[in-house]
Amino acid sequence: MVAGILRNMRALRFDQSRLSDEEALELAKLFAEHQQTALERYSTGIVTALPVEMAALESCFDEVKDIEMRGVKYKVATASIKGSNQKRSSAIIKQASEAGNNLAAVCAADMLSSFPNIEELMLVGIAGGVPYPENAEKHVRLGDIVVSDQQGVTQYDIGRQYKDYFEEKQRGRPPSAKLLDRVNELTTLELKGVKSWEAHIDELQLRLAWDRPADQLDVLYRGDGSTKIHPHPGDESRQPGRPKVFRGKIGSANLVLKSSDHRRKLRERHGVIAVEMEGSGIADAAWMHRVGYLVVRGICDYADGRKNDTWHRYAAIVAAAYAKAILEIL
C-alpha cells in the first residue's frame, strides 16, 4: 500500500510542502520502513576498494541503484540469470574510500550494521600474484583468478619487530562454508567444461571496451633488480587468452609489496598464492558480525619492483566475472 501511495505521489508530482510537520514525519517513517523491507531480501554484500574494481562490478549487473543508509551511500545491484525468467542475482555493493585493511574493515562493518540480513560478504578486486615457475600446477600468472580456500586470508604484517628481524604472527579466519560450497560447484562444472565466468568476461570486455593485454606483456623476472626473465612453465591445463582459476591462501597487509624476494619468502613461509591489502580487514569484520566471507581476486602484477597498471582493468574484469558466477548459484 505504501509503495502504491509513493508511486502515485511521484506520478502526480505531489508537493510535500502541503503536508503538516506531523504528516511529513509520518510519511518519512513509512517510506523508511518500506525501503528497509524492500532491502531485506538482499543477503549478499560485496566490498571493493578501487574505482577500476567498482566499474567492473557495476558493469556485471543490469540495474544498479544508489541508496543511502544512515548517511552512507551504497549500490543495490541486480541482474537476471540467463536461462531463467524469474531468477535474479543481487547484491549490496560498497566501495571503501581507499585501499587498506583498516578502511576495508570499517566499510564492511558499516555495511553489516546497515543491512543486518546480509549473510555472506565478498571482497572482489585485484591483487598481486605469487608465481611458482618451478611448479606449473601452482604457477599464478597475470590475468588469473584467485579465490580464498578453507585457509582464508593471513595477515603477514602482524607480529613482533626485533632489532634485526621481524617475527610474523599468522592470524587467519576461515571463509564462509556456504560460499566455499558454491566455489566447489563452479569447480565441478569447470571440470565438465562449463565455465560461466568466461561468458561474463567476454560481456564485460565488450561493455567496457577493456581488452586483455598481450601475452608478451606477462613478464616474470628472476629477482629484485634482475634483468633476466624467468620463463613461464608449460601448462597443458591453460587455455590461450583465458584466466586459470586458483584456490588457496591469500596474504594481506597494510602495505604495497614491491619485492619479488619478499614475495618468494611469503610463499615459502605461509603458502600464499596472492597478496593484497583488504582481505584481513574484511575477514575480521565478517567474523565479528558472525557472517561468512570470501575473497575473489584478479591478478594484476607480480608484487615486485616492476608493478604497473597494464593488467589492472582486465584483472578487475575477471574478478568481477567470477564473483557474478558465484552470485548466480547462491
Side-chain angles (χ1 to χ4, degrees):
M1 180 179 70
V2 175
I5 293 173
L6 294 173
R7 281 196 299 270
N8 291 334
M9 288 173 60
R10 286 192 292 268
L12 296 171
R13 297 183 181 180
F14 184 80
D15 184 4
Q16 294 188 30
S17 65
R18 292 160 54 188
L19 297 173
S20 66
D21 291 343
E22 292 77 9
E23 290 172 329
L25 180 59
E26 185 63 26
L27 182 62
K29 288 180 179 179
L30 287 172
F31 180 76
E33 291 172 2
H34 169 67
Q35 183 186 48
Q36 184 62 48
T37 302
L39 292 171
E40 285 180 356
R41 70 179 185 274
Y42 295 96
S43 61
T44 304
I46 301 178
V47 175
T48 188
L50 303 177
V52 68
E53 299 168 343
M54 179 60 93
L57 269 174
E58 285 192 43
S59 299
C60 279
F61 297 91
D62 301 328
E63 184 180 24
V64 180
K65 294 182 179 179
D66 291 322
I67 62 169
E68 187 171 311
M69 295 291 287
R70 301 192 307 173
V72 179
K73 291 184 178 180
Y74 296 89
K75 304 280 186 180
V76 176
T78 57
S80 298
I81 297 176
K82 289 186 176 180
S84 171
N85 295 326
Q86 297 178 341
K87 293 183 180 179
R88 296 173 64 83
S89 57
S90 58
I92 303 293
I93 305 176
K94 180 72 174 75
Q95 180 183 343
S97 55
E98 59 183 75
N101 279 302
N102 296 357
L103 288 174
V106 172
C107 176
D110 189 82
M111 174 187 283
L112 294 171
S113 297
S114 298
F115 303 93
N117 286 337
I118 288 180
E119 299 174 355
E120 313 294 340
L121 190 63
M122 286 199 289
L123 174 67
V124 181
I126 63 178
V130 179
Y132 200 163
E134 296 80 17
N135 187 332
E137 185 179 344
K138 298 181 179 180
H139 183 56
V140 178
R141 294 183 58 173
L142 302 186
D144 283 343
I145 299 168
V146 168
V147 185
S148 55
D149 66 359
Q150 292 88 341
Q151 300 179 83
V153 177
T154 183
Q155 187 167 352
Y156 61 86
D157 62 349
I158 289 181
R160 299 179 179 88
Q161 181 64 63
Y162 295 96
K163 179 180 179 181
D164 300 320
Y165 69 98
F166 177 72
E167 181 182 79
E168 297 170 0
K169 181 180 179 181
Q170 288 195 70
R171 186 185 72 186
R173 309 202 188 278
S176 161
K178 181 179 179 180
L179 290 176
L180 288 176
D181 283 345
R182 299 305 177 263
V183 176
N184 283 338
E185 289 184 43
L186 290 179
T187 302
T188 301
L189 290 171
E190 181 181 8
L191 292 171
K192 295 179 180 180
V194 179
K195 305 176 184 179
S196 59
W197 57 91
E198 290 188 349
H200 299 328
I201 291 172
D202 295 340
E203 291 172 3
L204 286 172
Q205 286 188 268
L206 285 174
R207 187 173 297 181
L208 293 167
W210 292 357
D211 294 328
R212 175 186 168 96
D215 289 342
Q216 292 82 354
L217 298 177
D218 181 5
V219 181
L220 176 64
Y221 290 88
R222 290 189 176 273
D224 290 334
S226 175
T227 57
K228 294 183 179 180
I229 296 176
H230 203 310
H232 295 291
D235 187 351
E236 294 182 355
S237 66
R238 282 189 176 275
Q239 289 182 289
R242 290 297 191 184
K244 186 174 179 178
V245 181
F246 291 86
R247 299 172 64 181
K249 186 192 293 186
I250 295 176
S252 189
N254 282 314
L255 54 86
V256 177
L257 183 59
K258 300 184 70 173
S259 168
S260 57
D261 293 341
H262 192 62
R263 179 196 67 205
R264 175 181 51 80
K265 292 176 182 178
L266 286 175
R267 188 193 73 206
E268 293 172 350
R269 291 177 185 173
H270 306 307
V272 300
I273 60 175
V275 291
E276 45 89 276
M277 297 178 64
E278 291 83 31
S280 61
I282 296 297
D284 285 344
W287 182 76
M288 291 294 292
H289 284 78
R290 295 174 175 82
V291 302
Y293 82 93
L294 188 77
V295 177
V296 179
R297 293 294 198 180
I299 301 303
C300 63
D301 58 61
Y302 287 122
D304 58 13
R306 292 177 171 84
K307 283 173 62 69
N308 58 68
D309 296 347
T310 303
W311 287 80
H312 275 204
R313 290 184 172 185
Y314 183 76
I317 279 179
V318 300
Y322 197 86
K324 183 177 181 180
I326 295 173
L327 282 176
E328 287 178 334
I329 58 175
L330 273 176

